[in-house]
Amino acid sequence: MKHLSSLVLMVALSGTALAQNPFIKGQYTADPTARVFNGRVYVYPSHDILAPQGVRQDWFCMADYHVFSSDNLVDWTDHGVILDQKEVPWGNSEAYSMWAPDCIQGKDGRYYFYFPDAPKDGRGFGVGVAVSDSPTGPFKAEPTNIKGISGIDPCVLQASDGNNYIFWGGGGLRVAKLKDNLLELSEDNPTETIKFGEREMTMIGVACDKTLPAGFKEGPFAFERNGKYYLTYPWVRGKAGDPGPDGKPLDNHTETLAYAISDNPMGPYEYKGLIMKESPTQCWTNHHSIVEYKGEWYLFYHHNDYSPKFDKNRSVRIDKLTFNADGTINEVIPTLRGVGITQADGKIELDRYSAISPKNASISFLDTTYYFAGWYTELAKGGWVKYDRVSLSKAATTVSLRVNATKPTSLKLNMIGSTKTSLALNIPATQGFEIITLPVNSIAEGQYDIQLLNNGATVQVDWLSVGEPSESLAREIRYAELQKQAPTTEFVMEIRVKCDGAFGVGPTSKGNRYVIPIVGGEFDGPGIQGTVLPGGADYQLQDNPHGRTELEAIYCLRTNDGVNIHIRNLGLICTGKPEDHGFYFRCAPKFEAPQNSKYDYLNRGVFVCTPSFGADGTIVLRMWKVN
């Protein structure tokens, strides 16, 4: 079962995102600032990583920024790194302090990315600006940080009065007006003298939290709606021992999300209430943004879903946000289901449920050694789980599930739409998690809420799909079949290499070497797809000093999200059965993937390979990771 659960791990590493929470998978993300540019939503989060050796291990560690975008809030694209800590002239390149950012579009059409960082000289934090012609970067940091700001978590409000106001945290919440160049504070900002112990400092702008209830505050996000200005912020209210959201006293209080309203961007602001209560699992931070998109309002925030034992590695979420007629905000109850409509022919992750039975149903991690593998739903007899808003684009006659059933069991699938369709799914016993495809009576196209009920022996369900699988899911099903060819190892990828000329296999004279230039190709596997780069890489056969034929392959792969990975193979060609392609490698290819990238797991593996060679110069190399 271990190697099959690892296959799910590999799929999770794709970094793709779906409608469920958290919506970015395969990497840690926090502090999401959402903005709408040209009809598309862009999310600029901070990027939590595991602290490298020599860096404080029990604190936040952030080296760079990514940006993600979507036009439906369901399918998200990772555009890769847009700014790294080593690219900030005024910043400490080894501080790992790239905390919560923001991004706006200026009147000149360019995009201005605001971010905090620890300065190269001095202490505390500064706020810098990086500029790009595209919302997806790359962004170039300005030589110096913004003079007059000492703090974290910048947010820029583009107000209807024609001005731009920057908010920041650190020692309270402050706001100041920006110049039209969006790079400096305006000269007409008010100032005040603040005492910190024996020190006195002149602060630019206004302390916009003076009129708000006491308690630690950070991460301001400001927006305008119906002529009112909303200041929203993480807030630690009360003290240790006060009742938490479940009425029980907490060992230590965590951040709520609160808000206040004003008629003026610089206040004074009047406290109105909470947007979200404390984390029920005591994730210390919450950080957020609020955006309107296609007539609906959404709250972007974070939680430690993929890091239950360490709340400094967070993951971003989305839920809907609504207003009352008087402009006040209704409290948002965090959901696992998230937002948007899920396509039925993809993976319906029932563990991100809309509702679940109070008994005989539970959610667990697929792999507690690597939480990015996600979760599964366990249903005992009588247990059920419900998942809302599923779209079936054409009539379906099959249902696929990835299940683990130690005994045969019977499930009932209710498709609740304009009409209700109930389907009996008879699940055979499996060897660990397996993908099962079952024929069912035709299901009409339309939108449904799905309920899965167990009428038999206990079963674990990873995901469910209705109808002919989507292209990506069909690949995953194929990968599962390839996995069965090597039951003691984990299928990683298949590389299809195009060479310049035909390639033959046979004995060679000692010392001779055949070099076939690589001109292209593609590769794919669970959670990893891309192209083989041409040029500079050869495929060669040679005799080693002992007179045995060695095969050496050097590849440069580029993933679809722009990460370069190098592979170096060197192994002996061994004879085998025709069904095993006639020969195979006994080798341990060396994967070289960027440290802390979502493909970093490739650096830590030992692999076996089975190649096949076509007369047209095509080489197919399938690779499995040894457990």
mmCIF file of all heavy atoms in Angstrom, residues 531-577:
data_model
loop_
_atom_site.group_PDB
_atom_site.id
_atom_site.type_symbol
_atom_site.label_atom_id
_atom_site.label_comp_id
_atom_site.label_asym_id
_atom_site.label_seq_id
_atom_site.Cartn_x
_atom_site.Cartn_y
_atom_site.Cartn_z
ATOM 1 N N THR A 531 8.665 19.570 -21.210
ATOM 2 C CA THR A 531 9.351 19.262 -22.460
ATOM 3 C C THR A 531 10.815 18.937 -22.184
ATOM 4 O O THR A 531 11.398 19.341 -21.176
ATOM 5 C CB THR A 531 9.276 20.453 -23.440
ATOM 6 O OG1 THR A 531 9.830 21.610 -22.807
ATOM 7 C CG2 THR A 531 7.831 20.733 -23.826
ATOM 8 N N VAL A 532 11.409 18.186 -23.133
ATOM 9 C CA VAL A 532 12.838 17.915 -23.122
ATOM 10 C C VAL A 532 13.495 18.985 -23.979
ATOM 11 O O VAL A 532 13.125 19.175 -25.142
ATOM 12 C CB VAL A 532 13.145 16.512 -23.676
ATOM 13 C CG1 VAL A 532 14.648 16.237 -23.655
ATOM 14 C CG2 VAL A 532 12.404 15.451 -22.873
ATOM 15 N N LEU A 533 14.452 19.698 -23.428
ATOM 16 C CA LEU A 533 15.080 20.790 -24.158
ATOM 17 C C LEU A 533 16.114 20.245 -25.136
ATOM 18 O O LEU A 533 16.883 19.335 -24.807
ATOM 19 C CB LEU A 533 15.752 21.766 -23.196
ATOM 20 C CG LEU A 533 14.818 22.470 -22.195
ATOM 21 C CD1 LEU A 533 15.608 23.422 -21.338
ATOM 22 C CD2 LEU A 533 13.697 23.197 -22.915
ATOM 23 N N PRO A 534 16.174 20.786 -26.341
ATOM 24 C CA PRO A 534 17.160 20.343 -27.322
ATOM 25 C C PRO A 534 18.521 20.987 -27.078
ATOM 26 O O PRO A 534 18.639 21.978 -26.346
ATOM 27 C CB PRO A 534 16.568 20.821 -28.640
ATOM 28 C CG PRO A 534 15.813 22.060 -28.269
ATOM 29 C CD PRO A 534 15.254 21.794 -26.886
ATOM 30 N N GLY A 535 19.522 20.398 -27.721
ATOM 31 C CA GLY A 535 20.848 21.016 -27.700
ATOM 32 C C GLY A 535 21.592 20.804 -26.405
ATOM 33 O O GLY A 535 21.035 20.840 -25.319
ATOM 34 N N GLY A 536 22.873 20.538 -26.524
ATOM 35 C CA GLY A 536 23.720 20.457 -25.349
ATOM 36 C C GLY A 536 23.576 19.193 -24.541
ATOM 37 O O GLY A 536 24.199 19.039 -23.502
ATOM 38 N N ALA A 537 22.747 18.265 -24.994
ATOM 39 C CA ALA A 537 22.556 17.015 -24.265
ATOM 40 C C ALA A 537 22.666 15.867 -25.244
ATOM 41 O O ALA A 537 22.077 15.894 -26.314
ATOM 42 C CB ALA A 537 21.205 17.014 -23.576
ATOM 43 N N ASP A 538 23.430 14.857 -24.901
ATOM 44 C CA ASP A 538 23.653 13.718 -25.783
ATOM 45 C C ASP A 538 23.190 12.435 -25.126
ATOM 46 O O ASP A 538 23.147 12.317 -23.911
ATOM 47 C CB ASP A 538 25.147 13.581 -26.116
ATOM 48 C CG ASP A 538 25.680 14.768 -26.894
ATOM 49 O OD1 ASP A 538 24.895 15.340 -27.660
ATOM 50 O OD2 ASP A 538 26.861 15.099 -26.717
ATOM 51 N N TYR A 539 22.870 11.496 -25.977
ATOM 52 C CA TYR A 539 22.546 10.154 -25.542
ATOM 53 C C TYR A 539 23.658 9.274 -26.088
ATOM 54 O O TYR A 539 23.919 9.289 -27.284
ATOM 55 C CB TYR A 539 21.195 9.732 -26.120
ATOM 56 C CG TYR A 539 20.434 8.794 -25.251
ATOM 57 C CD1 TYR A 539 19.339 9.215 -24.511
ATOM 58 C CD2 TYR A 539 20.816 7.469 -25.141
ATOM 59 C CE1 TYR A 539 18.634 8.367 -23.708
ATOM 60 C CE2 TYR A 539 20.118 6.597 -24.328
ATOM 61 C CZ TYR A 539 19.031 7.039 -23.619
ATOM 62 O OH TYR A 539 18.331 6.178 -22.819
ATOM 63 N N GLN A 540 24.343 8.503 -25.277
ATOM 64 C CA GLN A 540 25.530 7.814 -25.744
ATOM 65 C C GLN A 540 25.652 6.401 -25.189
ATOM 66 O O GLN A 540 25.213 6.127 -24.070
ATOM 67 C CB GLN A 540 26.801 8.595 -25.394
ATOM 68 C CG GLN A 540 26.685 9.446 -24.175
ATOM 69 C CD GLN A 540 27.824 10.433 -24.054
ATOM 70 O OE1 GLN A 540 28.928 10.167 -24.495
ATOM 71 N NE2 GLN A 540 27.575 11.552 -23.442
ATOM 72 N N LEU A 541 26.201 5.540 -26.020
ATOM 73 C CA LEU A 541 26.574 4.201 -25.599
ATOM 74 C C LEU A 541 28.092 4.124 -25.587
ATOM 75 O O LEU A 541 28.744 4.641 -26.488
ATOM 76 C CB LEU A 541 26.038 3.156 -26.584
ATOM 77 C CG LEU A 541 24.561 2.776 -26.480
ATOM 78 C CD1 LEU A 541 24.211 1.843 -27.620
ATOM 79 C CD2 LEU A 541 24.259 2.115 -25.159
ATOM 80 N N GLN A 542 28.636 3.471 -24.591
ATOM 81 C CA GLN A 542 30.082 3.340 -24.546
ATOM 82 C C GLN A 542 30.459 2.062 -23.806
ATOM 83 O O GLN A 542 29.658 1.533 -23.024
ATOM 84 C CB GLN A 542 30.715 4.548 -23.847
ATOM 85 C CG GLN A 542 30.321 4.686 -22.379
ATOM 86 C CD GLN A 542 30.861 5.960 -21.771
ATOM 87 O OE1 GLN A 542 30.952 6.973 -22.433
ATOM 88 N NE2 GLN A 542 31.227 5.897 -20.499
ATOM 89 N N ASP A 543 31.630 1.564 -24.064
ATOM 90 C CA ASP A 543 32.133 0.413 -23.320
ATOM 91 C C ASP A 543 32.927 0.914 -22.128
ATOM 92 O O ASP A 543 33.773 1.804 -22.260
ATOM 93 C CB ASP A 543 33.050 -0.447 -24.202
ATOM 94 C CG ASP A 543 32.239 -1.282 -25.180
ATOM 95 O OD1 ASP A 543 31.004 -1.305 -25.034
ATOM 96 O OD2 ASP A 543 32.834 -1.886 -26.079
ATOM 97 N N ASN A 544 32.641 0.350 -20.962
ATOM 98 C CA ASN A 544 33.397 0.748 -19.799
ATOM 99 C C ASN A 544 34.724 -0.011 -19.753
ATOM 100 O O ASN A 544 34.961 -0.906 -20.562
ATOM 101 C CB ASN A 544 32.562 0.554 -18.525
ATOM 102 C CG ASN A 544 32.299 -0.906 -18.211
ATOM 103 O OD1 ASN A 544 32.954 -1.816 -18.735
ATOM 104 N ND2 ASN A 544 31.330 -1.146 -17.335
ATOM 105 N N PRO A 545 35.628 0.303 -18.836
ATOM 106 C CA PRO A 545 36.949 -0.349 -18.793
ATOM 107 C C PRO A 545 36.884 -1.872 -18.627
ATOM 108 O O PRO A 545 37.852 -2.561 -18.900
ATOM 109 C CB PRO A 545 37.633 0.315 -17.599
ATOM 110 C CG PRO A 545 36.964 1.650 -17.495
ATOM 111 C CD PRO A 545 35.551 1.418 -17.884
ATOM 112 N N HIS A 546 35.737 -2.381 -18.200
ATOM 113 C CA HIS A 546 35.614 -3.817 -18.006
ATOM 114 C C HIS A 546 34.987 -4.502 -19.221
ATOM 115 O O HIS A 546 34.668 -5.689 -19.165
ATOM 116 C CB HIS A 546 34.765 -4.101 -16.765
ATOM 117 C CG HIS A 546 35.308 -3.467 -15.519
ATOM 118 N ND1 HIS A 546 36.450 -3.919 -14.880
ATOM 119 C CD2 HIS A 546 34.886 -2.381 -14.815
ATOM 120 C CE1 HIS A 546 36.696 -3.155 -13.831
ATOM 121 N NE2 HIS A 546 35.763 -2.214 -13.771
ATOM 122 N N GLY A 547 34.815 -3.740 -20.314
ATOM 123 C CA GLY A 547 34.303 -4.336 -21.532
ATOM 124 C C GLY A 547 32.803 -4.501 -21.569
ATOM 125 O O GLY A 547 32.275 -5.160 -22.481
ATOM 126 N N ARG A 548 32.068 -3.886 -20.631
ATOM 127 C CA ARG A 548 30.608 -3.999 -20.626
ATOM 128 C C ARG A 548 30.004 -2.699 -21.154
ATOM 129 O O ARG A 548 30.564 -1.626 -20.990
ATOM 130 C CB ARG A 548 30.105 -4.280 -19.216
ATOM 131 C CG ARG A 548 30.661 -5.584 -18.635
ATOM 132 C CD ARG A 548 29.982 -5.926 -17.329
ATOM 133 N NE ARG A 548 28.552 -6.171 -17.523
ATOM 134 C CZ ARG A 548 27.700 -6.444 -16.525
ATOM 135 N NH1 ARG A 548 28.147 -6.469 -15.282
ATOM 136 N NH2 ARG A 548 26.432 -6.660 -16.774
ATOM 137 N N THR A 549 28.872 -2.826 -21.804
ATOM 138 C CA THR A 549 28.246 -1.666 -22.441
ATOM 139 C C THR A 549 27.503 -0.818 -21.416
ATOM 140 O O THR A 549 26.659 -1.316 -20.672
ATOM 141 C CB THR A 549 27.269 -2.113 -23.538
ATOM 142 O OG1 THR A 549 27.972 -2.906 -24.474
ATOM 143 C CG2 THR A 549 26.648 -0.914 -24.237
ATOM 144 N N GLU A 550 27.865 0.446 -21.382
ATOM 145 C CA GLU A 550 27.186 1.399 -20.512
ATOM 146 C C GLU A 550 26.352 2.339 -21.359
ATOM 147 O O GLU A 550 26.688 2.624 -22.507
ATOM 148 C CB GLU A 550 28.197 2.246 -19.726
ATOM 149 C CG GLU A 550 28.922 1.493 -18.639
ATOM 150 C CD GLU A 550 29.866 2.404 -17.883
ATOM 151 O OE1 GLU A 550 30.247 3.460 -18.418
ATOM 152 O OE2 GLU A 550 30.209 2.053 -16.761
ATOM 153 N N LEU A 551 25.274 2.808 -20.772
ATOM 154 C CA LEU A 551 24.479 3.844 -21.414
ATOM 155 C C LEU A 551 24.529 5.083 -20.531
ATOM 156 O O LEU A 551 24.288 5.004 -19.329
ATOM 157 C CB LEU A 551 23.037 3.389 -21.609
ATOM 158 C CG LEU A 551 22.158 4.337 -22.432
ATOM 159 C CD1 LEU A 551 21.132 3.544 -23.213
ATOM 160 C CD2 LEU A 551 21.483 5.362 -21.558
ATOM 161 N N GLU A 552 24.849 6.215 -21.134
ATOM 162 C CA GLU A 552 24.865 7.483 -20.415
ATOM 163 C C GLU A 552 23.881 8.429 -21.072
ATOM 164 O O GLU A 552 23.902 8.583 -22.301
ATOM 165 C CB GLU A 552 26.254 8.107 -20.412
ATOM 166 C CG GLU A 552 26.302 9.420 -19.633
ATOM 167 C CD GLU A 552 27.678 10.037 -19.603
ATOM 168 O OE1 GLU A 552 28.555 9.583 -20.360
ATOM 169 O OE2 GLU A 552 27.882 10.971 -18.831
ATOM 170 N N ALA A 553 23.024 9.023 -20.279
ATOM 171 C CA ALA A 553 22.057 9.981 -20.808
ATOM 172 C C ALA A 553 22.108 11.252 -19.975
ATOM 173 O O ALA A 553 22.162 11.191 -18.753
ATOM 174 C CB ALA A 553 20.651 9.400 -20.757
ATOM 175 N N ILE A 554 22.115 12.369 -20.658
ATOM 176 C CA ILE A 554 22.092 13.664 -19.982
ATOM 177 C C ILE A 554 20.919 14.446 -20.560
ATOM 178 O O ILE A 554 20.880 14.717 -21.753
ATOM 179 C CB ILE A 554 23.401 14.442 -20.199
ATOM 180 C CG1 ILE A 554 24.600 13.607 -19.742
ATOM 181 C CG2 ILE A 554 23.352 15.769 -19.437
ATOM 182 C CD1 ILE A 554 25.923 14.219 -20.109
ATOM 183 N N TYR A 555 19.957 14.782 -19.712
ATOM 184 C CA TYR A 555 18.779 15.502 -20.171
ATOM 185 C C TYR A 555 18.671 16.840 -19.453
ATOM 186 O O TYR A 555 19.061 16.966 -18.299
ATOM 187 C CB TYR A 555 17.483 14.747 -19.840
ATOM 188 C CG TYR A 555 17.410 13.346 -20.351
ATOM 189 C CD1 TYR A 555 17.598 12.273 -19.482
ATOM 190 C CD2 TYR A 555 17.124 13.081 -21.673
ATOM 191 C CE1 TYR A 555 17.507 10.976 -19.926
ATOM 192 C CE2 TYR A 555 17.033 11.787 -22.125
ATOM 193 C CZ TYR A 555 17.223 10.733 -21.252
ATOM 194 O OH TYR A 555 17.127 9.452 -21.701
ATOM 195 N N CYS A 556 18.063 17.790 -20.132
ATOM 196 C CA CYS A 556 17.582 18.997 -19.463
ATOM 197 C C CYS A 556 16.083 19.057 -19.708
ATOM 198 O O CYS A 556 15.636 19.135 -20.856
ATOM 199 C CB CYS A 556 18.263 20.259 -19.992
ATOM 200 S SG CYS A 556 17.725 21.753 -19.116
ATOM 201 N N LEU A 557 15.320 18.970 -18.630
ATOM 202 C CA LEU A 557 13.867 19.006 -18.714
ATOM 203 C C LEU A 557 13.371 20.372 -18.250
ATOM 204 O O LEU A 557 13.946 20.979 -17.352
ATOM 205 C CB LEU A 557 13.254 17.923 -17.827
ATOM 206 C CG LEU A 557 13.803 16.504 -17.956
ATOM 207 C CD1 LEU A 557 13.044 15.572 -17.028
ATOM 208 C CD2 LEU A 557 13.750 16.016 -19.385
ATOM 209 N N ARG A 558 12.312 20.826 -18.857
ATOM 210 C CA ARG A 558 11.658 22.056 -18.385
ATOM 211 C C ARG A 558 10.200 21.748 -18.112
ATOM 212 O O ARG A 558 9.467 21.343 -19.015
ATOM 213 C CB ARG A 558 11.783 23.184 -19.399
ATOM 214 C CG ARG A 558 11.048 24.474 -18.948
ATOM 215 C CD ARG A 558 11.406 25.650 -19.821
ATOM 216 N NE ARG A 558 12.811 26.028 -19.633
ATOM 217 C CZ ARG A 558 13.463 26.865 -20.452
ATOM 218 N NH1 ARG A 558 12.836 27.390 -21.497
ATOM 219 N NH2 ARG A 558 14.719 27.164 -20.214
ATOM 220 N N THR A 559 9.789 21.945 -16.857
ATOM 221 C CA THR A 559 8.407 21.666 -16.489
ATOM 222 C C THR A 559 7.479 22.732 -17.073
ATOM 223 O O THR A 559 7.916 23.823 -17.454
ATOM 224 C CB THR A 559 8.243 21.635 -14.958
ATOM 225 O OG1 THR A 559 8.513 22.946 -14.448
ATOM 226 C CG2 THR A 559 9.196 20.629 -14.332
ATOM 227 N N ASN A 560 6.202 22.407 -17.106
ATOM 228 C CA ASN A 560 5.228 23.343 -17.676
ATOM 229 C C ASN A 560 5.147 24.647 -16.888
ATOM 230 O O ASN A 560 4.685 25.661 -17.421
ATOM 231 C CB ASN A 560 3.847 22.694 -17.738
ATOM 232 C CG ASN A 560 3.746 21.672 -18.856
ATOM 233 O OD1 ASN A 560 4.549 21.684 -19.795
ATOM 234 N ND2 ASN A 560 2.780 20.779 -18.763
ATOM 235 N N ASP A 561 5.591 24.646 -15.633
ATOM 236 C CA ASP A 561 5.592 25.888 -14.877
ATOM 237 C C ASP A 561 6.975 26.537 -14.831
ATOM 238 O O ASP A 561 7.241 27.379 -13.985
ATOM 239 C CB ASP A 561 5.045 25.686 -13.460
ATOM 240 C CG ASP A 561 5.785 24.602 -12.697
ATOM 241 O OD1 ASP A 561 6.653 23.942 -13.285
ATOM 242 O OD2 ASP A 561 5.484 24.422 -11.504
ATOM 243 N N GLY A 562 7.853 26.132 -15.773
ATOM 244 C CA GLY A 562 9.087 26.874 -15.990
ATOM 245 C C GLY A 562 10.271 26.498 -15.129
ATOM 246 O O GLY A 562 11.252 27.250 -15.076
ATOM 247 N N VAL A 563 10.237 25.343 -14.463
ATOM 248 C CA VAL A 563 11.362 24.912 -13.635
ATOM 249 C C VAL A 563 12.250 23.975 -14.450
ATOM 250 O O VAL A 563 11.769 23.034 -15.076
ATOM 251 C CB VAL A 563 10.868 24.193 -12.360
ATOM 252 C CG1 VAL A 563 12.043 23.671 -11.554
ATOM 253 C CG2 VAL A 563 10.016 25.138 -11.524
ATOM 254 N N ASN A 564 13.564 24.242 -14.465
ATOM 255 C CA ASN A 564 14.519 23.384 -15.172
ATOM 256 C C ASN A 564 15.030 22.297 -14.242
ATOM 257 O O ASN A 564 15.428 22.567 -13.103
ATOM 258 C CB ASN A 564 15.697 24.204 -15.710
ATOM 259 C CG ASN A 564 15.325 25.015 -16.929
ATOM 260 O OD1 ASN A 564 14.248 24.851 -17.488
ATOM 261 N ND2 ASN A 564 16.196 25.895 -17.346
ATOM 262 N N ILE A 565 15.027 21.069 -14.743
ATOM 263 C CA ILE A 565 15.494 19.906 -13.992
ATOM 264 C C ILE A 565 16.491 19.155 -14.858
ATOM 265 O O ILE A 565 16.225 18.891 -16.034
ATOM 266 C CB ILE A 565 14.324 18.975 -13.615
ATOM 267 C CG1 ILE A 565 13.314 19.714 -12.721
ATOM 268 C CG2 ILE A 565 14.822 17.712 -12.915
ATOM 269 C CD1 ILE A 565 12.043 18.944 -12.482
ATOM 270 N N HIS A 566 17.637 18.811 -14.304
ATOM 271 C CA HIS A 566 18.626 18.029 -15.030
ATOM 272 C C HIS A 566 18.606 16.583 -14.538
ATOM 273 O O HIS A 566 18.408 16.327 -13.353
ATOM 274 C CB HIS A 566 20.037 18.616 -14.842
ATOM 275 C CG HIS A 566 20.222 19.933 -15.509
ATOM 276 N ND1 HIS A 566 19.894 21.113 -14.885
ATOM 277 C CD2 HIS A 566 20.671 20.255 -16.743
ATOM 278 C CE1 HIS A 566 20.143 22.120 -15.710
ATOM 279 N NE2 HIS A 566 20.621 21.634 -16.843
ATOM 280 N N ILE A 567 18.818 15.677 -15.465
ATOM 281 C CA ILE A 567 18.913 14.253 -15.129
ATOM 282 C C ILE A 567 20.188 13.699 -15.743
ATOM 283 O O ILE A 567 20.468 13.922 -16.920
ATOM 284 C CB ILE A 567 17.713 13.450 -15.667
ATOM 285 C CG1 ILE A 567 16.396 14.025 -15.131
ATOM 286 C CG2 ILE A 567 17.831 11.979 -15.276
ATOM 287 C CD1 ILE A 567 15.183 13.309 -15.650
ATOM 288 N N ARG A 568 20.944 12.979 -14.950
ATOM 289 C CA ARG A 568 22.151 12.317 -15.438
ATOM 290 C C ARG A 568 22.025 10.828 -15.119
ATOM 291 O O ARG A 568 21.940 10.446 -13.960
ATOM 292 C CB ARG A 568 23.401 12.897 -14.777
ATOM 293 C CG ARG A 568 23.607 14.368 -15.074
ATOM 294 C CD ARG A 568 24.814 14.928 -14.333
ATOM 295 N NE ARG A 568 24.961 16.342 -14.608
ATOM 296 C CZ ARG A 568 25.649 16.852 -15.627
ATOM 297 N NH1 ARG A 568 26.262 16.026 -16.463
ATOM 298 N NH2 ARG A 568 25.736 18.142 -15.817
ATOM 299 N N ASN A 569 22.006 9.995 -16.170
ATOM 300 C CA ASN A 569 21.926 8.547 -16.012
ATOM 301 C C ASN A 569 23.253 7.923 -16.396
ATOM 302 O O ASN A 569 23.877 8.321 -17.374
ATOM 303 C CB ASN A 569 20.862 7.941 -16.940
ATOM 304 C CG ASN A 569 19.459 8.301 -16.497
ATOM 305 O OD1 ASN A 569 19.258 8.698 -15.376
ATOM 306 N ND2 ASN A 569 18.499 8.133 -17.388
ATOM 307 N N LEU A 570 23.673 6.912 -15.681
ATOM 308 C CA LEU A 570 24.801 6.092 -16.088
ATOM 309 C C LEU A 570 24.553 4.705 -15.527
ATOM 310 O O LEU A 570 24.445 4.528 -14.314
ATOM 311 C CB LEU A 570 26.127 6.639 -15.556
ATOM 312 C CG LEU A 570 27.371 5.841 -15.962
ATOM 313 C CD1 LEU A 570 27.532 5.841 -17.484
ATOM 314 C CD2 LEU A 570 28.612 6.412 -15.302
ATOM 315 N N GLY A 571 24.417 3.730 -16.421
ATOM 316 C CA GLY A 571 24.111 2.394 -15.944
ATOM 317 C C GLY A 571 24.489 1.342 -16.959
ATOM 318 O O GLY A 571 24.803 1.641 -18.121
ATOM 319 N N LEU A 572 24.456 0.095 -16.524
ATOM 320 C CA LEU A 572 24.771 -1.025 -17.399
ATOM 321 C C LEU A 572 23.527 -1.456 -18.140
ATOM 322 O O LEU A 572 22.425 -1.485 -17.590
ATOM 323 C CB LEU A 572 25.313 -2.200 -16.580
ATOM 324 C CG LEU A 572 26.629 -1.963 -15.832
ATOM 325 C CD1 LEU A 572 26.977 -3.200 -15.015
ATOM 326 C CD2 LEU A 572 27.736 -1.654 -16.816
ATOM 327 N N ILE A 573 23.691 -1.789 -19.431
ATOM 328 C CA ILE A 573 22.599 -2.365 -20.195
ATOM 329 C C ILE A 573 22.577 -3.864 -19.915
ATOM 330 O O ILE A 573 23.587 -4.544 -20.067
ATOM 331 C CB ILE A 573 22.771 -2.097 -21.697
ATOM 332 C CG1 ILE A 573 22.540 -0.604 -21.953
ATOM 333 C CG2 ILE A 573 21.810 -2.932 -22.507
ATOM 334 C CD1 ILE A 573 22.573 -0.236 -23.395
ATOM 335 N N CYS A 574 21.439 -4.362 -19.490
ATOM 336 C CA CYS A 574 21.304 -5.772 -19.133
ATOM 337 C C CYS A 574 20.262 -6.414 -20.034
ATOM 338 O O CYS A 574 19.276 -5.780 -20.420
ATOM 339 C CB CYS A 574 20.870 -5.914 -17.685
ATOM 340 S SG CYS A 574 21.895 -4.999 -16.519
ATOM 341 N N THR A 575 20.476 -7.661 -20.387
ATOM 342 C CA THR A 575 19.496 -8.353 -21.226
ATOM 343 C C THR A 575 18.268 -8.673 -20.410
ATOM 344 O O THR A 575 18.306 -8.812 -19.191
ATOM 345 C CB THR A 575 20.092 -9.634 -21.803
ATOM 346 O OG1 THR A 575 20.507 -10.465 -20.713
ATOM 347 C CG2 THR A 575 21.267 -9.318 -22.698
ATOM 348 N N GLY A 576 17.146 -8.795 -21.087
ATOM 349 C CA GLY A 576 15.895 -9.103 -20.414
ATOM 350 C C GLY A 576 14.920 -9.732 -21.376
ATOM 351 O O GLY A 576 15.248 -10.020 -22.528
ATOM 352 N N LYS A 577 13.710 -9.943 -20.934
ATOM 353 C CA LYS A 577 12.688 -10.541 -21.773
ATOM 354 C C LYS A 577 12.166 -9.516 -22.764
ATOM 355 O O LYS A 577 12.163 -8.316 -22.491
ATOM 356 C CB LYS A 577 11.553 -11.056 -20.895
ATOM 357 C CG LYS A 577 11.981 -12.142 -19.909
ATOM 358 C CD LYS A 577 10.813 -12.538 -19.021
ATOM 359 C CE LYS A 577 11.241 -13.586 -18.008
ATOM 360 N NZ LYS A 577 10.122 -13.973 -17.114
#
